[in-house]
Amino acid sequence: MKRVLVINDICCFGKASITEMLPVLSAMGIECSLLPTALLSAHTGGLGQVHRVDLSEDMMKIAGHYKELQLHFDAIYVGYLAGNAQIDTVSQIIDILREEDTLVFMDPSMADNGRLYSGFEEDYPEKLKVLLKKAGCLLPNVTELCLLCDEDPKTEIDWQKLNTLLYRLSDECNGADVILSGVENHGRLQVSVLQDDICTEYIHKKIEGHFHGCGDLFAAVVIGNVLKGKQLDEAVEKAALFVLECIEKTVEEGTDERYGLSFEEVIRN
């Protein structure tokens, strides 16, 4: 059985992060080990004042125990970090636990809708670039791509410019593959995949609304399919279709968008 280490936060309410990725990866037949970066009472998207517990002091101890156990990770995924100070910690953990055949995926989970998430310092994107160079595959959204490429995410950027930024980010990160989600294309949504210097696109319908946790679900399905032997472009298409089905189920049930996607029924079927 393939094993992935998920370095991400634990969101106690409002489905996101580890609470989404663990069940999805498990349902795909992937063993999921955890290394939590922070404990949050809820996600930061409209659920009031969030109680946070920074787990930086515990992370290296957990990683050290994994090293003692001689655990092999087929993939390491890095998502939400608790701020600038944690970047170096995660960098060291990757050095400790990564082996020659370990795939490293990173979602620069820090921003959406043109702005940084609450709690992040303005220089976080610049600091994060050092860590992203250790990844083989990056999964930013449009806002994150702009911030990482020193572009104003609040200005309208056409597809040609986004395409240029994809190549720039890949070049700055040692030729890493880049999966860009959340691109609007004539009333539909586009996911772009840059791999081996070739960019391909997958377009699907857009459902109006702001749905939390899409990125974590998307990443889980991409990683699960890659570990099951699928090519990256096929894994991305499957992930996009899965998230779309989860959104449709959420709308059908009339669930409060802030609470997260109704993915449980979808993975059950």
Side-chain angles (χ1 to χ4, degrees), residues 120-154:
F120 284 112
E121 298 176 41
E122 289 299 320
D123 64 347
Y124 181 77
E126 187 64 31
K127 300 289 186 183
L128 188 63
K129 288 181 184 179
V130 178
L131 179 61
L132 297 182
K133 292 179 181 180
K134 295 191 173 184
C137 183
L138 305 173
L139 298 96
N141 60 32
V142 173
T143 298
E144 291 158 348
L145 176 66
C146 290
L147 289 171
L148 290 168
C149 292
D150 303 315
E151 297 286 340
D152 185 354
K154 295 182 180 179

Side-chain angles (χ1 to χ4, degrees), residues 230-241:
K230 303 294 185 185
Q231 294 298 313
L232 187 60
D233 56 350
E234 184 180 358
V236 166
E237 183 174 354
K238 287 181 176 293
L241 286 172

Side-chain angles (χ1 to χ4, degrees), residues 150-174:
D150 303 315
E151 297 286 340
D152 185 354
K154 295 182 180 179
T155 60
E156 186 173 343
I157 300 178
D158 60 27
W159 164 240
Q160 186 175 0
K161 182 62 176 290
L162 285 175
N163 191 56
T164 301
L165 298 184
L166 273 178
Y167 280 90
R168 184 194 304 177
L169 181 61
S170 177
D171 288 342
E172 291 180 358
C173 295
N174 303 315

Side-chain angles (χ1 to χ4, degrees), residues 15-16 20 43-46 210-215 217 257-261:
K15 288 172 280 188
E20 285 186 322
H43 66 65
T44 59
H210 186 68
F211 302 93
H212 297 280
C214 294
L217 283 179
E257 294 177 4
R258 297 174 301 164
Y259 294 172
L261 298 179

Side-chain angles (χ1 to χ4, degrees), residues 2 5 17 21-22 41 46 64 80 83 107 123 136 142 166-167 174 188 211-214 219 229 252 258 260 263:
K2 299 289 186 179
L5 176 64
S17 59
M21 298 189 73
L22 174 59
S41 57
Y80 179 92
D107 179 349
D123 64 347
V142 173
L166 273 178
Y167 280 90
N174 303 315
R188 296 166 69 82
F211 302 93
H212 297 280
C214 294
E252 177 188 324
R258 297 174 301 164
F263 68 89

